[in-house]
């Protein structure tokens, strides 16, 4: 996988050969972004199968059990991780009586299909979402919901990419996204690669630009959407959604159906990851905070459904998401 920690300065791959090494890569954010984490976890199980088969491991059922557990514990908020592990577990259970060689091949095929489907889904979301953007729009996005955060194309950036492919001139305002800088490092890098105009701002500049009428729409991704339409996404998203309401700017959330978690009745039920204080007190080897200061580092926040103009999914758009219209939309899907 691409080591996203060192982008944009260096582009390097790291190799994983077991569920444990993939779980470690997810935890350390070598790979990040909800759909990408889901794909990585599926490959974690597939790699474990290949490894156990190579070792001709007789204790493979127990080893798989540990592999599923280790991956499920890697990060708590993005539901795509649990969604893809559930898919892999189902395939595992259905083929448990086959030889280890056959089982591991079937698991590998399932991981490949999760990855390939993710790209197709992103393109479908992109097509629905692109219709919401007008030629000349300036779109603000938060964090990185691009190709790097998915198997390819992206969710929020996928919508922007698709609009550009339709011939619309779209320019992007990228929030820096403290503290891990996904906007400064990853969104900016991705868009520069494709010649889509992008301007970087620090997170606290969004209100000023919105108050000046410089932004036409906001599009973000999601790590989990609750049954009532509340959205968990990168810390700072809620702040942007409140600003969008104040300035009457549409606030769109691009999310595949795999991000919608009907087991969470509302945002309160979504587990929010707290990460290391070092992400806030400095960056890499630089320390800028006062030594000994106490620190909070919630990595995600909840945007209440009432602030969301629409969810953009691969099956269509849900305007003003709430418990009732989301449920009836999903029933029709
Ligand atoms: O902590 P991260 O970088 O994994 O958080 C990623 C986000 O919050 C993204 O916006 C979200 O996963 C949607 S990605 C298509």
């Amino acid at each position: 996988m691409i080591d996203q920690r060192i982008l944009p300065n260096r582009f390097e791959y790291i190799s994983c050969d077991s569920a444990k090494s993939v779980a470690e890569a997810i935890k350390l954010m070598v790979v990040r972004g909800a759909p990408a984490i889901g794909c990585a976890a599926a490959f974690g199980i597939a790699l474990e199968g290949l490894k156990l088969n190579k070792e001709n491991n007789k204790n493979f059922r127990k080893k798989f059990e540990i592999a599923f557990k280790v991956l499920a514990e890697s990060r708590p908020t993005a539901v795509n991780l649990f969604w893809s592990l559930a898919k892999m577990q189902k395939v595992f259970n259905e083929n448990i009586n086959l030889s280890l060689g056959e089982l591991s091949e079937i698991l590998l095929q399932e991981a490949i299909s999760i990855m390939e489907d993710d790209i197709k889904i992103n393109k479908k979301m992109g097509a629905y979402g692109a219709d919401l953007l007008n030629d000349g729009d300036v779109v603000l996005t938060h964090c990185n919901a691009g190709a790097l955060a998915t198997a390819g194309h992206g969710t929020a950036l996928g919508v922007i990419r698709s609009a550009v492919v339709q011939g619309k001139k779209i320019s992007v305002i990228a929030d820096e996204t403290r503290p891990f800088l996904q906007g400064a490092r990853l969104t900016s890098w991705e868009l520069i690669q494709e010649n889509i105009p992008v301007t970087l701002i620090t997170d606290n500049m969004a209100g000023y630009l919105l108050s000046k009428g410089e932004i036409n729409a906001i599009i973000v991704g999601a790590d989990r959407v609750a049954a009532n339409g509340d959205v968990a996404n990168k810390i700072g998203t809620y702040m942007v959604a409140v600003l969008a309401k104040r300035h009457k700017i549409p606030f769109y959330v691009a999310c595949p159906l795999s991000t919608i978690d009907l087991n969470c009745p509302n945002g309160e039920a979504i587990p929010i990851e707290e990460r290391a204080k070092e992400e806030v007190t400095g960056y890499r080897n630089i320390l800028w905070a006062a030594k000994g200061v106490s620190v909070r580092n919630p990595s995600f926040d909840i945007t209440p459904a009432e602030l969301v103009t629409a969810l953009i999914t691969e099956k269509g758009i849900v305007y003003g998401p709430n418990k009732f219209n989301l449920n009836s939309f999903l029933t029709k899907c």
Side-chain angles (χ1 to χ4, degrees):
M1 50 180 80
I2 300 166
D3 188 345
Q4 299 193 31
R5 295 168 305 175
I6 55 173
L7 278 172
N9 297 332
R10 282 181 290 148
F11 185 100
E12 284 172 22
Y13 290 98
I14 71 147
S15 295
C16 297
D17 61 359
S18 64
K20 190 162 168 266
S21 59
V22 172
E24 200 60 13
I26 295 173
K27 203 175 281 180
L28 296 174
M29 292 174 71
V30 170
V31 60
R32 31 75 38 212
I37 293 172
C39 292
F43 277 103
I45 294 296
L47 286 167
E48 190 70 16
L50 298 177
K51 179 165 115 32
L52 294 172
N53 187 39
K54 204 160 149 196
E55 294 166 358
N56 199 12
N57 198 307
K58 299 283 175 252
N59 197 18
F60 72 90
R61 285 190 178 81
K62 184 76 203 153
K63 295 277 183 191
F64 267 115
E65 205 178 294
I66 297 168
F68 277 106
K69 187 164 178 296
V70 160
L71 284 161
E73 285 169 356
S74 58
R75 288 191 79 187
T77 304
V79 75
N80 308 60
L81 172 74
F82 307 99
W83 170 88
S84 83
L85 286 175
K87 273 179 100 78
M88 295 301 282
Q89 184 77 65
K90 184 167 181 284
V91 169
F92 177 82
N93 294 346
E94 285 166 358
N95 296 284
I96 187 72
N97 293 325
L98 297 181
S99 72
L100 180 52
E102 288 166 323
L103 175 62
S104 56
E105 182 52 36
I106 289 173
L107 289 170
L108 177 60
Q109 289 314 317
E110 181 66 10
I112 291 171
S113 103
I114 288 175
M115 177 185 71
E116 289 175 348
D117 283 354
D118 189 54
I119 299 174
K120 288 183 202 147
I121 285 168
N122 285 326
K123 290 196 170 156
K124 283 186 189 154
M125 260 187 304
Y128 280 115
D131 290 341
L132 300 171
L133 298 180
N134 299 310
D135 191 22
D137 271 357
V138 178
V139 179
L140 181 138
T141 190
H142 191 74
C143 194
N144 171 265
L148 287 165
T150 61
H153 198 66
T155 57
L157 290 194
V159 169
I160 291 164
R161 281 199 169 94
S162 296
V164 169
V165 169
Q166 282 181 359
K168 291 173 183 162
K169 281 201 169 56
I170 305 291
S171 53
V172 176
I173 302 287
D175 273 353
E176 166 186 56
T177 317
R178 285 268 298 142
F180 210 67
L181 309 179
Q182 289 93 331
R185 298 188 300 107
L186 308 175
T187 297
S188 311
W189 180 78
E190 267 195 41
L191 293 172
I192 287 168
Q193 306 294 304
E194 288 186 40
N195 288 321
I196 298 176
V198 53
T199 302
L200 177 65
I201 60 169
T202 60
D203 301 336
N204 50 1
M205 295 172 187
Y208 175 73
L209 294 193
L210 280 156
S211 75
K212 290 284 173 193
E214 292 187 28
I215 293 165
N216 306 104
I218 296 172
I219 311 183
V220 298
D223 288 81
R224 200 185 290 224
V225 177
N228 71 343
D230 289 352
V231 172
N233 192 48
K234 181 52 51 193
I235 191 76
T237 302
Y238 169 52
M239 206 163 67
V240 175
V242 171
L243 284 168
K245 188 78 159 184
R246 169 83 171 90
H247 295 287
K248 301 186 173 55
I249 298 296
F251 179 85
Y252 300 119
V253 177
C255 58
L257 296 183
S258 56
T259 304
I260 301 173
D261 183 3
L262 296 180
N263 293 320
C264 279
N266 53 49
E268 281 288 306
I270 300 177
I272 299 294
E273 177 181 18
E274 290 254 357
R275 293 186 64 85
K277 71 175 188 339
E278 286 74 19
E279 287 182 359
V280 177
T281 53
Y283 189 66
R284 295 192 178 140
N285 295 327
I286 306 165
L287 173 79
W288 53 58
K291 259 194 187 141
V293 67
S294 80
V295 171
R296 286 290 308 276
N297 187 13
S299 199
F300 300 92
D301 59 25
I302 304 293
T303 298
E306 66 187 88
L307 299 180
V308 177
T309 307
L311 299 178
I312 303 165
T313 79
E314 70 271 34
K315 296 282 183 189
I317 294 174
V318 188
Y319 287 96
N322 59 42
K323 186 173 153 187
F324 303 102
N325 63 10
L326 197 49
N327 193 41
S328 76
F329 171 78
L330 291 172
T331 315
K332 283 184 226 137
C333 285

